[in-house]
Amino acid sequence: MKKAYLATAVLSAVLLTACGSDEAKEDASASTESAIVLENEAQKQSYALGASMGMFVTNRFETQEGLNIATDLAALRAGFEDGLKNNQQMTMEDIQFHTQASDTALRAAQTLKAEQDAAAAIEAGKAFLAENALKEGVTVTESGLQYEVVKGAEGASPAVTDTVTVHYRGTLIDGTEFDSSYSRGEPTSFPLNRVISGWTEGLQLMPLGSTYRFYIPSELAYGQRGQGAIPANSTLIFDVELLEIKSAE
Protein backbone atom coordinates (compact mmCIF):
# COMPACT_ATOMS: atom_id res chain seq x y z
CA MET A 1 0.00 0.00 0.00
CA LYS A 2 1.37 3.37 -0.98
CA LYS A 3 1.89 5.99 1.73
CA ALA A 4 0.16 8.70 -0.24
CA TYR A 5 -2.93 6.58 -0.79
CA LEU A 6 -3.29 5.63 2.86
CA ALA A 7 -2.68 9.17 4.07
CA THR A 8 -5.33 10.36 1.62
CA ALA A 9 -7.83 7.87 2.99
CA VAL A 10 -7.26 8.91 6.59
CA LEU A 11 -7.43 12.62 5.87
CA SER A 12 -10.48 12.06 3.67
CA ALA A 13 -12.23 10.38 6.57
CA VAL A 14 -11.56 13.43 8.73
CA LEU A 15 -12.87 15.85 6.12
CA LEU A 16 -15.92 13.83 5.15
CA THR A 17 -17.00 13.36 8.75
CA ALA A 18 -16.22 16.83 10.02
CA CYS A 19 -17.57 18.81 7.07
CA GLY A 20 -20.17 16.60 5.43
CA SER A 21 -20.56 18.92 2.43
CA ASP A 22 -20.24 18.00 -1.24
CA GLU A 23 -17.43 20.52 -1.58
CA ALA A 24 -15.50 18.94 1.27
CA LYS A 25 -15.96 15.50 -0.29
CA GLU A 26 -14.57 16.71 -3.61
CA ASP A 27 -11.61 18.36 -1.91
CA ALA A 28 -10.88 15.27 0.18
CA SER A 29 -10.77 12.91 -2.80
CA ALA A 30 -8.88 15.24 -5.11
CA SER A 31 -5.36 15.27 -3.70
CA THR A 32 -3.18 14.84 -0.62
CA GLU A 33 -1.96 18.40 -1.20
CA SER A 34 -4.65 20.18 0.82
CA ALA A 35 -5.60 23.76 -0.10
CA ILE A 36 -6.11 24.68 3.54
CA VAL A 37 -4.24 27.77 4.70
CA LEU A 38 -2.77 27.51 8.19
CA GLU A 39 -3.07 31.03 9.49
CA ASN A 40 -3.34 30.67 13.26
CA GLU A 41 -2.01 28.44 16.00
CA ALA A 42 -5.27 26.48 16.39
CA GLN A 43 -5.21 25.57 12.70
CA LYS A 44 -1.54 24.59 12.84
CA GLN A 45 -2.01 22.42 15.92
CA SER A 46 -5.10 20.76 14.47
CA TYR A 47 -3.34 20.10 11.17
CA ALA A 48 -0.34 18.66 13.00
CA LEU A 49 -2.63 16.33 14.97
CA GLY A 50 -4.30 15.10 11.78
CA ALA A 51 -0.98 14.67 10.00
CA SER A 52 0.47 12.70 12.91
CA MET A 53 -2.56 10.38 12.85
CA GLY A 54 -2.14 9.82 9.12
CA MET A 55 1.58 9.12 9.40
CA PHE A 56 1.06 6.74 12.33
CA VAL A 57 -1.58 4.73 10.49
CA THR A 58 0.48 4.69 7.30
CA ASN A 59 3.56 3.36 9.08
CA ARG A 60 1.54 0.85 11.09
CA PHE A 61 -0.26 -0.59 8.07
CA GLU A 62 2.92 -0.76 6.01
CA THR A 63 4.67 -2.56 8.87
CA GLN A 64 1.82 -5.04 9.22
CA GLU A 65 1.63 -5.71 5.50
CA GLY A 66 5.40 -6.27 5.43
CA LEU A 67 4.87 -8.97 8.06
CA ASN A 68 1.89 -10.50 6.24
CA ILE A 69 -0.61 -9.28 8.84
CA ALA A 70 -3.95 -8.53 7.19
CA THR A 71 -5.20 -4.94 7.13
CA ASP A 72 -8.57 -3.49 6.15
CA LEU A 73 -8.64 0.13 5.06
CA ALA A 74 -12.44 0.26 4.84
CA ALA A 75 -12.77 -0.90 8.45
CA LEU A 76 -10.14 1.63 9.52
CA ARG A 77 -12.04 4.48 7.89
CA ALA A 78 -15.34 3.32 9.36
CA GLY A 79 -13.85 3.13 12.83
CA PHE A 80 -12.25 6.56 12.46
CA GLU A 81 -15.50 8.16 11.30
CA ASP A 82 -17.54 6.44 14.02
CA GLY A 83 -15.02 7.56 16.61
CA LEU A 84 -15.36 11.19 15.51
CA LYS A 85 -19.14 10.86 15.80
CA ASN A 86 -18.86 9.02 19.13
CA ASN A 87 -20.99 6.32 17.55
CA GLN A 88 -18.70 3.28 17.81
CA GLN A 89 -19.93 -0.22 16.95
CA MET A 90 -17.84 -1.65 19.80
CA THR A 91 -17.78 -1.08 23.53
CA MET A 92 -14.67 0.51 25.00
CA GLU A 93 -13.75 -2.89 26.45
CA ASP A 94 -13.92 -4.45 22.99
CA ILE A 95 -11.91 -1.60 21.45
CA GLN A 96 -9.19 -2.02 24.06
CA PHE A 97 -9.21 -5.80 23.66
CA HIS A 98 -8.83 -5.75 19.89
CA THR A 99 -6.26 -2.93 19.99
CA GLN A 100 -4.16 -4.97 22.40
CA ALA A 101 -4.65 -8.07 20.25
CA SER A 102 -3.36 -6.11 17.24
CA ASP A 103 -0.29 -4.98 19.19
CA THR A 104 0.37 -8.51 20.42
CA ALA A 105 0.12 -9.94 16.91
CA LEU A 106 2.48 -7.28 15.58
CA ARG A 107 5.09 -7.91 18.27
CA ALA A 108 4.88 -11.67 17.73
CA ALA A 109 5.34 -11.27 13.98
CA GLN A 110 8.27 -8.91 14.49
CA THR A 111 9.93 -11.34 16.91
CA LEU A 112 9.46 -14.25 14.51
CA LYS A 113 10.88 -12.27 11.59
CA ALA A 114 13.87 -11.17 13.68
CA GLU A 115 14.57 -14.80 14.62
CA GLN A 116 14.26 -15.92 11.00
CA ASP A 117 16.51 -13.11 9.78
CA ALA A 118 19.10 -13.88 12.46
CA ALA A 119 19.15 -17.58 11.54
CA ALA A 120 19.45 -16.72 7.84
CA ALA A 121 22.31 -14.32 8.59
CA ILE A 122 24.27 -17.08 10.34
CA GLU A 123 23.92 -19.43 7.38
CA ALA A 124 24.76 -16.68 4.88
CA GLY A 125 27.85 -15.75 6.88
CA LYS A 126 29.06 -19.34 7.10
CA ALA A 127 28.64 -19.84 3.36
CA PHE A 128 30.43 -16.58 2.58
CA LEU A 129 33.38 -17.30 4.87
CA ALA A 130 33.75 -20.88 3.59
CA GLU A 131 34.03 -19.65 0.02
CA ASN A 132 36.17 -16.63 0.94
CA ALA A 133 38.69 -18.78 2.80
CA LEU A 134 39.60 -20.48 -0.49
CA LYS A 135 40.58 -17.23 -2.21
CA GLU A 136 44.23 -16.51 -2.90
CA GLY A 137 45.76 -14.14 -0.35
CA VAL A 138 43.19 -14.80 2.40
CA THR A 139 44.54 -16.08 5.73
CA VAL A 140 42.33 -17.72 8.36
CA THR A 141 43.32 -17.50 12.02
CA GLU A 142 42.55 -20.07 14.73
CA SER A 143 39.59 -17.99 15.94
CA GLY A 144 38.00 -17.96 12.47
CA LEU A 145 39.01 -14.38 11.61
CA GLN A 146 39.98 -13.98 7.95
CA TYR A 147 42.21 -11.28 6.55
CA GLU A 148 44.19 -10.24 3.51
CA VAL A 149 46.94 -7.68 3.13
CA VAL A 150 45.83 -4.80 0.90
CA LYS A 151 48.97 -2.74 1.47
CA GLY A 152 51.99 -4.07 3.33
CA ALA A 153 54.35 -2.12 5.61
CA GLU A 154 57.38 -2.65 7.86
CA GLY A 155 56.28 -0.75 10.96
CA ALA A 156 55.66 -2.01 14.48
CA SER A 157 52.40 -3.71 15.38
CA PRO A 158 50.20 -2.58 18.29
CA ALA A 159 49.77 -4.42 21.56
CA VAL A 160 46.37 -5.17 22.98
CA THR A 161 46.73 -2.37 25.54
CA ASP A 162 47.72 0.29 22.98
CA THR A 163 45.52 3.01 21.50
CA VAL A 164 45.43 3.06 17.72
CA THR A 165 44.35 5.62 15.13
CA VAL A 166 42.85 4.19 11.96
CA HIS A 167 40.88 4.95 8.85
CA TYR A 168 38.31 2.27 8.07
CA ARG A 169 35.31 1.28 6.02
CA GLY A 170 32.81 -1.36 7.14
CA THR A 171 30.34 -3.27 4.96
CA LEU A 172 28.00 -6.22 5.20
CA ILE A 173 28.69 -9.22 2.97
CA ASP A 174 26.17 -7.89 0.45
CA GLY A 175 28.26 -4.73 0.04
CA THR A 176 26.07 -2.42 2.13
CA GLU A 177 28.26 0.17 3.84
CA PHE A 178 27.29 0.76 7.48
CA ASP A 179 30.19 2.93 8.65
CA SER A 180 33.23 4.75 7.27
CA SER A 181 35.74 7.14 8.76
CA TYR A 182 36.67 8.07 5.18
CA SER A 183 33.13 9.34 4.62
CA ARG A 184 33.35 11.42 7.80
CA GLY A 185 36.65 12.88 6.62
CA GLU A 186 38.71 12.07 9.71
CA PRO A 187 40.29 8.96 11.28
CA THR A 188 39.23 7.56 14.62
CA SER A 189 41.18 6.51 17.71
CA PHE A 190 40.37 3.88 20.34
CA PRO A 191 42.02 1.53 22.85
CA LEU A 192 42.52 -1.80 21.10
CA ASN A 193 41.00 -3.73 24.00
CA ARG A 194 37.73 -1.75 23.86
CA VAL A 195 36.44 -2.87 20.45
CA ILE A 196 34.98 -6.05 18.98
CA SER A 197 37.26 -9.06 19.34
CA GLY A 198 37.75 -9.34 15.58
CA TRP A 199 39.35 -5.89 15.60
CA THR A 200 41.35 -6.55 18.77
CA GLU A 201 42.86 -9.66 17.21
CA GLY A 202 43.18 -8.35 13.68
CA LEU A 203 44.89 -5.02 14.33
CA GLN A 204 47.60 -6.71 16.38
CA LEU A 205 48.59 -8.44 13.13
CA MET A 206 49.00 -5.12 11.27
CA PRO A 207 52.29 -3.24 10.94
CA LEU A 208 52.05 0.53 11.25
CA GLY A 209 51.26 2.05 7.85
CA SER A 210 49.63 -1.07 6.43
CA THR A 211 46.08 -1.61 5.19
CA TYR A 212 44.30 -4.92 5.81
CA ARG A 213 40.90 -6.26 4.87
CA PHE A 214 39.22 -8.25 7.64
CA TYR A 215 36.37 -10.73 7.24
CA ILE A 216 34.91 -11.03 10.72
CA PRO A 217 32.48 -13.82 11.72
CA SER A 218 29.48 -12.64 13.70
CA GLU A 219 30.73 -14.24 16.91
CA LEU A 220 33.85 -12.03 16.69
CA ALA A 221 31.72 -8.96 15.88
CA TYR A 222 28.34 -7.99 17.40
CA GLY A 223 26.75 -11.43 17.49
CA GLN A 224 23.06 -11.80 18.24
CA ARG A 225 22.57 -8.24 19.46
CA GLY A 226 23.61 -6.50 16.23
CA GLN A 227 24.53 -2.82 16.35
CA GLY A 228 22.73 0.12 14.74
CA ALA A 229 22.59 -0.55 11.00
CA ILE A 230 24.25 -3.96 11.52
CA PRO A 231 21.65 -6.76 11.74
CA ALA A 232 22.01 -9.55 14.28
CA ASN A 233 24.50 -12.33 13.46
CA SER A 234 26.09 -10.37 10.61
CA THR A 235 29.47 -11.30 9.18
CA LEU A 236 31.35 -8.03 8.62
CA ILE A 237 34.03 -6.83 6.21
CA PHE A 238 36.40 -4.03 7.22
CA ASP A 239 39.13 -2.27 5.31
CA VAL A 240 41.44 -0.86 7.97
CA GLU A 241 44.41 1.50 7.54
CA LEU A 242 46.65 1.69 10.62
CA LEU A 243 47.86 5.30 10.98
CA GLU A 244 49.23 5.62 14.50
CA ILE A 245 50.01 3.58 17.61
CA LYS A 246 50.15 5.08 21.11
CA SER A 247 51.55 2.93 23.87
CA ALA A 248 49.52 2.55 27.05
CA GLU A 249 52.57 3.70 28.97
Side-chain angles (χ1 to χ4, degrees), residues 62-194:
E62 287 187 340
T63 298
Q64 290 185 186
E65 290 173 349
L67 295 169
N68 295 318
I69 299 176
T71 60
D72 191 316
L73 181 58
L76 168 71
R77 293 181 60 177
F80 192 89
E81 293 174 9
D82 287 350
L84 287 176
K85 298 173 186 176
N86 197 25
N87 186 33
Q88 301 89 299
Q89 298 182 38
M90 293 181 177
T91 64
M92 280 305 302
E93 289 76 12
D94 285 341
I95 290 173
Q96 291 173 353
F97 173 82
H98 290 291
T99 299
Q100 291 171 359
S102 175
D103 291 341
T104 299
L106 178 60
R107 288 194 297 269
Q110 289 173 324
T111 298
L112 177 60
K113 185 176 187 304
E115 291 173 349
Q116 292 173 336
D117 289 347
I122 290 177
E123 295 306 313
K126 288 180 178 178
F128 172 84
L129 291 170
E131 181 178 355
N132 194 66
L134 303 178
K135 293 181 178 179
E136 183 178 356
V138 173
T139 300
V140 184
T141 71
E142 185 176 348
S143 70
L145 174 70
Q146 299 182 7
Y147 70 91
E148 59 181 307
V149 179
V150 177
K151 184 182 77 172
E154 300 295 331
S157 297
V160 68
T161 54
D162 290 343
T163 294
V164 297
T165 300
V166 303
H167 256 314
Y168 70 93
R169 177 178 181 266
T171 65
L172 305 178
I173 59 176
D174 65 2
T176 301
E177 181 179 300
F178 56 81
D179 195 11
S180 173
S181 64
Y182 293 105
S183 296
R184 292 192 296 273
E186 59 179 358
T188 186
S189 300
F190 50 84
L192 199 50
N193 57 5
R194 300 288 182 87

Side-chain angles (χ1 to χ4, degrees), residues 141 145 147 157-158 199-207 210 212 214:
T141 71
L145 174 70
Y147 70 91
S157 297
W199 273 51
T200 301
E201 176 186 356
L203 267 76
Q204 291 181 81
L205 303 172
M206 296 181 65
S210 65
Y212 278 31
F214 295 108

